[in-house]
Amino acid sequence: MTSGGKAAEERPSLKGILASDLPASLVVFLVALPLCMGIALASGAPIMAGLIAGVVGGLVVGLLGGVPLLVSGPAAGLAVMVFGFIQQLGFAVTCAAVAAAGLVQVALGGLKVARSALAISPAVIHGMLAGIGILIVLGQVHIVLGGSPQSNAWNNLRELPGQVLNLHGTATLLGLLTLGILIAWQFLPNGRMKKVPGPLVAVVGGTVVAAVLNADVARVQLAANALSAIQLPALPEGSAWGAFAVAVLSLALVASAESLLSAVATDKLHTGARANLDRELLAQGVANTLSGLVGGLPITGVIVRSAANINAGAKTRWSAVLHAVWMLAFVTLLGGLASYVPLTVLAGLLVHVGLKLVNLAHIRELRHRGELPVYLITVAGVVGINLLAGIGLGLGAAILRLLWQLGQVRVESRDANGVHQVCISGALTFVGVPKLSAALAKIPSGSKVEVDVAVNTLDHSGFEALESWADTHRKTGGTVTMEPLEDVWTRRSARAAPVVAPPASSPVHHVSSLASGGAQ
């Protein structure tokens, strides 16, 4: 995996494309089509906006992107954010924000800062996605039950008991049927049936049942002429410019982080060409700019579709491109079929997507690494306040946790036959200097001291604090036996040189390996 284009990408042959990428593209198309419509529904946008984003994402990012097997399109992770912007700014202005966010991404890709986006704590990213998943479930479950979603998570939760007690007949049946099919499909044994995408089976099954029952339910509204459904963007007016700027930066940062994390995850699923993250970020920006200009939703790399792409046998970027071609053909030639799909069926699909965003494996891993509080704070912020507040609270919690870890210096002192033996371990950094100073201040002036410096992290502040105390103690008549701190510093640097990259799912800690023995 690289960010600078060192990964080699083989030039595909027509035979290889027909043998591997063509079949894979059909699988991805069948997975992506219902998801694009469903995400548009969750975003409060026209259904066509989701399909436009799917086409643009597949064609533009597929051709220009730096991750050949990554599939891009509208993502559930942005649905809640987009819904809020549409409610605040209107759909046309939100499209302009998407286009402007794409330009920001292009600039970031040109500055080659893609790698820095991976510095965001995984606990914050997973917490953000889980919070979004909970919001999607709380909103869409009302549609599944035949009602209407409320304005926020609290109202959705408060109105849910009444919705359960006042079910809406056929609409509820169709929504629960769709959700049931999706859940059951996960437990099918691997075989020919399992190769058929579960979302396709659920949506087609729910639509067929609705047709058989001649159900009087709300259905997808899609214009017969695809070109006439395109809504052009509009700039904000008056005092809306501030909210517009917030929308642009929010969309650019969150979409970039999700795309790059999906790119890294995709790299782990195959052994082909590695990711060029800067090129991928630039391509995502171009795609978002075009999508916004033609009335589409924001675009990110999507790991679910990418995994389906790889599992279906895709070998090159042409699978992602072809899946967009099939989607474009469907919209222009067979778009009328979408009008048979009940909205409650799409809502059932979205509830399932939202549930999957709350990943229990991630929760277990974060708990094992001690990062569960950061995750929970992020989830609470996203659900209880809003997406940006949740991300901000999560980042703040991650920084406080890091500072707390950097301050975990341990100073143990004991008196052995008139000699004060002091062992300093843990992380001796600027955060831990007050604790170190307080412990050393208890040592009587003029006493004999032996110091064992067995720290695994030492910064300049810790170095200066310990050196200064030793000089002061000697000047007041005491003795200090301690390994020269310059040797500790040099050994720390030497042993920290062959750094092994930590797993992508864990935070990066700069830890040196120092010998446990101090002055002998």
Side-chain angles (χ1 to χ4, degrees):
M1 177 178 60
T2 71
S3 60
K6 294 181 181 179
E9 182 182 347
E10 296 181 5
R11 187 172 182 177
S13 65
L14 179 60
K15 182 179 179 181
I17 292 173
L18 294 176
S20 301
D21 296 313
L22 179 60
S25 71
L26 292 170
V27 173
V28 179
F29 160 68
L30 294 176
V31 172
L33 181 64
L35 288 175
C36 287
M37 294 192 293
I39 291 167
L41 175 66
S43 302
I47 298 297
M48 182 61 75
L51 297 172
I52 289 173
V55 173
V56 174
L59 290 176
V60 176
V61 183
L63 290 171
L64 303 179
V67 190
L69 299 184
L70 182 69
V71 180
S72 297
L78 287 175
V80 174
M81 176 182 282
V82 173
F83 180 85
F85 292 145
I86 291 176
Q87 297 302 307
Q88 182 180 16
L89 301 170
F91 179 68
V93 176
T94 301
C95 288
V98 172
L103 295 177
V104 174
Q105 289 181 294
V106 169
L108 293 175
L111 293 172
K112 299 187 181 300
V113 299
R115 185 68 59 179
S116 63
L118 302 180
I120 301 175
S121 168
V124 176
I125 297 297
H126 295 320
M128 177 193 75
L129 294 175
I132 290 170
I134 292 171
L135 289 174
I136 289 174
V137 171
L138 289 177
Q140 297 302 310
V141 73
H142 285 274
I143 301 179
V144 168
L145 297 176
S148 301
Q150 305 302 310
S151 58
N152 56 50
W154 171 245
N155 288 337
N156 276 322
L157 194 60
R158 187 178 60 186
E159 297 294 328
L160 188 56
Q163 195 73 261
V164 172
L165 294 174
N166 187 27
L167 300 180
H168 292 71
T170 307
T172 303
L173 172 65
L174 294 173
L176 294 177
L177 174 64
T178 304
L179 189 56
I181 292 174
L182 288 166
I183 294 173
W185 209 255
Q186 297 178 146
F187 298 99
L188 284 180
N190 290 328
R192 291 184 178 180
M193 284 189 65
K194 193 65 178 285
K195 292 181 179 180
V196 182
L200 177 69
V201 176
V203 172
V204 171
T207 303
V208 169
V209 171
V212 171
L213 297 178
N214 195 24
D216 182 18
V217 294
R219 301 176 188 269
V220 170
Q221 295 182 359
L222 203 62
N225 185 350
L227 293 178
S228 67
I230 293 177
Q231 298 189 37
L232 299 179
L235 293 176
E237 298 178 356
S239 60
W241 278 100
F244 177 79
V246 170
V248 170
L249 293 177
S250 303
L251 289 169
L253 294 177
V254 175
S256 297
E258 186 168 348
S259 293
L260 294 176
L261 289 170
S262 295
V264 172
T266 300
D267 253 12
K268 297 178 181 179
L269 300 178
H270 68 95
T271 58
R274 302 292 85 187
N276 182 327
L277 296 183
D278 292 312
R279 177 179 171 182
E280 180 64 28
L281 183 55
L282 193 147
Q284 292 286 342
V286 173
N288 271 313
T289 298
L290 291 177
S291 181
L293 291 176
V294 295
L297 293 177
I299 291 166
T300 74
V302 188
I303 187 59
V304 173
R305 276 164 252 181
S306 303
N309 188 37
I310 294 168
N311 292 336
K315 301 299 182 185
T316 74
R317 65 179 64 247
W318 285 101
S319 175
V321 174
L322 288 173
H323 111 276
V325 173
W326 310 139
M327 193 171 297
L328 179 61
F330 174 85
V331 170
T332 54
L333 302 177
L334 302 172
L337 294 177
S339 61
Y340 292 98
V341 180
L343 292 182
T344 185
V345 168
L346 290 183
L349 172 63
L350 286 169
V351 168
H352 186 255
V353 170
L355 290 173
K356 293 182 70 174
L357 288 176
V358 185
N359 192 307
L360 296 180
H362 289 158
I363 294 174
R364 286 192 292 267
E365 181 180 357
L366 292 171
R367 181 185 177 188
H368 174 70
R369 298 185 183 280
E371 294 185 276
L372 187 58
V374 177
Y375 174 90
L376 294 176
I377 288 171
T378 306
V379 171
V382 171
V383 175
I385 309 175
N386 57 52
L387 184 61
L388 291 181
I391 294 172
L393 290 172
L395 290 174
I399 292 172
L400 289 176
R401 178 179 178 275
L402 176 61
L403 292 176
W404 181 82
Q405 287 183 320
L406 291 175
Q408 293 306 295
V409 61
R410 292 179 293 278
V411 184
E412 299 174 350
S413 177
R414 65 173 184 157
D415 189 348
N417 299 323
V419 178
H420 287 273
Q421 297 177 338
V422 179
C423 178
I424 304 172
S425 59
L428 181 50
T429 67
F430 69 97
V431 183
V433 166
K435 183 177 181 180
L436 172 69
S437 300
L440 295 178
K442 297 177 181 179
I443 299 175
S445 299
S447 59
K448 184 178 181 179
V449 183
E450 294 179 352
V451 181
D452 178 9
V453 184
V455 297
N456 55 21
T457 301
L458 176 65
D459 73 354
H460 192 257
S461 296
F463 180 103
E464 288 286 348
L466 191 53
E467 189 74 38
S468 176
W469 172 84
D471 289 343
T472 301
H473 190 76
R474 292 187 183 107
K475 289 177 181 178
T476 57
T479 62
V480 179
T481 303
M482 178 176 64
E483 181 181 9
L485 290 182
E486 286 290 348
D487 292 348
V488 176
W489 188 273
T490 302
R491 185 168 66 247
R492 182 193 69 86
S493 300
R495 296 199 178 188
V499 177
V500 178
S505 60
S506 64
V508 178
H509 301 291
H510 299 287
V511 180
S512 58
S513 302
L514 292 181
S516 58
Q520 298 298 324

